Amino acid sequence: RKQWKRALEQAQAGPELELELDEEEKAEAEAAAEEAASSFRAPVRKSIVFTIDASYSMNQLLGRNQGDHHQLTRMDSARANLLMILDEHIEDGDTISVITFADDVRTDVP
């Protein structure tokens, strides 16, 4: 760590200093610089549109949930997957819209 820290300090001091590092030290310095830079990157905001089929066909049964006597419908599966995506991939600052369609199209969440 001392070697890459020294290299980073020299690099920040200005272009007039020459670095005498072997390949391993260079790789360590580059990795440390990349790690430091990544902590300063602005978060990526996402805009996501979910389109859900809400027609009668979504009431069709898929099968039983493991260990459960409740039969799952296509809509149950779509709902569970949507909630999983919201929990795992949507962060503060992201925007979402939900559009459902059956006989007509509705924007449920603008």
Side-chain angles (χ1 to χ4, degrees), residues 57-77:
S57 66
M58 293 297 283
N59 291 325
Q60 189 174 22
L61 296 177
L62 289 176
R64 294 184 186 275
N65 198 4
Q66 285 185 340
D68 193 358
H69 297 291
H70 174 69
Q71 289 188 314
L72 295 176
T73 64
R74 290 178 175 178
M75 184 57 79
D76 293 331
S77 178

Side-chain angles (χ1 to χ4, degrees), residues 7-27:
L8 192 58
E9 288 170 353
Q10 286 177 349
Q12 290 173 343
E16 65 279 352
L17 295 176
E18 288 192 28
L19 300 177
E20 295 180 19
L21 303 173
D22 64 24
E23 291 302 314
E24 184 178 337
E25 291 173 327
K26 286 179 185 178

